[in-house]
Amino acid sequence: MVAGATGTVGRHVVRVAEARGHDVVRVSRATGVDVVSGLGLDAAVRGADAVVDVLNAPSILKQPAVAFVTATTRNLLAAEARAGTAHHVAVSVVGIDGVEAGYYAGKLAQERLVTASAVPFSLLRATQFHEFAEVILRQTRRGRVAIVPSALLRPVAASEVAERLVLAVEDGPGGRLRELTGPRDERLADLVRRLAAAEGDPVHPIEVRLPGTYWRAQRSGVLRGGPDADRGTISFEEWLAARTG
Ligand SMILES: NC(=O)c1ccc[n+]([C@@H]2O[C@H](COP(=O)([O-])OP(=O)(O)OC[C@H]3O[C@@H](n4cnc5c(N)ncnc54)[C@H](OP(=O)(O)O)[C@@H]3O)[C@@H](O)[C@H]2O)c1
């Protein structure tokens, strides 16, 4: 079962899993299951060998992010315990230790629930997806200008994260897995500029230093991960070419 099957990484998880011969139950509100309320969840989990959680909180603010992951992770793990599911697979974010702020407070809360659960788990930390640039361009563009938060990242293709998640399903519960990062360091403002140019609608990004723990982590480079992480192979340029070409 894939919770978040219509999302950025969830779509790839479904595609990769089906290509490798798995029967996939798709879960999202669009398929009539609400993981926050638990509506329809028991029926969706029943019979699943593994549950892949690629849901996403509706906000990067701390309170709604923590509330979302707490409700959804508890509901998933409880449904899995009732159904006797043998494996919970979750994805979190590289480099967030000690960053109890904004969205990352939610991811840390999710990690604690998953690792404390009686349901055997695999937990993959990945860096920001290349697709993150699409979200930021959409949110920050004002005509020919985009006001982009300063961030130093090592982005990875969502498709490569999905492949790793499906392999984790096949390998069985592995606990905390090796982190997955992208192949190159990038500045978020530069990703936004290149994406807009590739779409034929250029933008001039203006990089700004936003206050607070969450944005300090983004610009410090800590979210790029360390030398022990696995590196994806698809660069932003290659992802862009495949997307627009
Ligand atoms: N994006 C990144 O750069 C990045 C980097 C590292 C890790 N991650 C992690 O990867 C995971 C997935 O992120 P994403 O960017 O792929 O997410 P996304 O594109 O925002 O997709 C979220 C999915 O969750 C579903 N969903 C939301 N609320 C739901 C609810 N109440 N009940 C059932 N389904 C619900 C959505 O479908 P409906 O709207 O139909 O319900 C959608 O399928 C997250 O855990 C995130 O922290 C993301």
Side-chain angles (χ1 to χ4, degrees):
M1 189 273 260
V2 178
T6 55
T8 304
V9 72
R11 279 192 298 265
H12 288 291
V13 172
V14 171
R15 176 183 55 75
V16 173
E18 289 185 338
R20 293 176 67 86
H22 299 283
D23 287 330
V24 179
V25 174
R26 297 165 167 76
V27 161
S28 79
R29 286 166 301 181
T31 69
V33 182
D34 189 331
V35 185
V36 172
S37 69
L39 180 76
L41 192 53
D42 278 319
V45 169
R46 199 173 301 131
D49 298 319
V51 167
V52 181
D53 176 2
V54 279
L55 298 164
N56 201 12
S59 167
I60 65 163
L61 298 179
K62 179 173 180 175
Q63 196 279 332
V66 171
F68 179 89
V69 296
T70 303
T72 55
T73 307
R74 283 198 176 133
N75 283 343
L76 282 172
L77 292 168
E80 292 163 31
R82 285 192 291 275
T85 311
H87 192 185
H88 180 91
V89 180
V91 59
S92 187
V93 180
V94 166
I96 59 172
D97 290 315
V99 190
E100 287 280 0
Y103 183 80
Y104 301 138
K107 298 310 293 181
L108 289 166
Q110 178 185 9
E111 291 187 352
R112 287 186 204 108
L113 288 169
V114 169
T115 55
S117 164
V119 179
F121 70 92
S122 298
L123 178 62
L124 174 69
R125 279 181 164 190
T127 50
Q128 286 63 42
F129 305 158
H130 293 323
E131 288 82 350
F132 185 51
E134 295 172 329
V135 177
I136 298 296
L137 174 59
R138 215 165 46 237
Q139 291 176 346
T140 63
R141 176 192 272 281
R142 301 286 180 272
R144 289 276 166 244
V145 170
I147 312 294
V148 180
S150 178
L152 182 55
L153 309 171
R154 193 170 286 162
V156 64
S159 61
E160 292 193 289
V161 176
E163 283 165 16
R164 187 59 59 91
L165 292 171
V166 174
L167 290 181
V169 168
E170 294 174 357
D171 288 347
R176 285 183 177 271
L177 306 178
R178 284 171 67 92
E179 297 181 343
L180 179 62
T181 79
R184 293 185 196 156
D185 289 1
E186 305 279 8
R187 300 203 70 82
L188 182 56
D190 198 43
L191 300 181
V192 165
R193 182 187 60 73
R194 284 146 69 195
L195 173 61
E199 290 182 341
D201 192 7
V203 76
H204 175 67
I206 298 172
E207 209 176 276
V208 289
R209 289 166 63 92
L210 295 183
T213 308
Y214 177 88
W215 292 110
R216 199 174 315 121
Q218 294 264 358
R219 67 174 171 270
S220 70
V222 72
L223 302 184
R224 292 174 299 173
D228 295 337
D230 289 336
R231 294 242 184 160
T233 59
I234 301 173
S235 68
F236 185 75
E237 226 46 54
E238 289 164 335
W239 171 81
L240 209 49
R243 178 181 181 275
T244 50

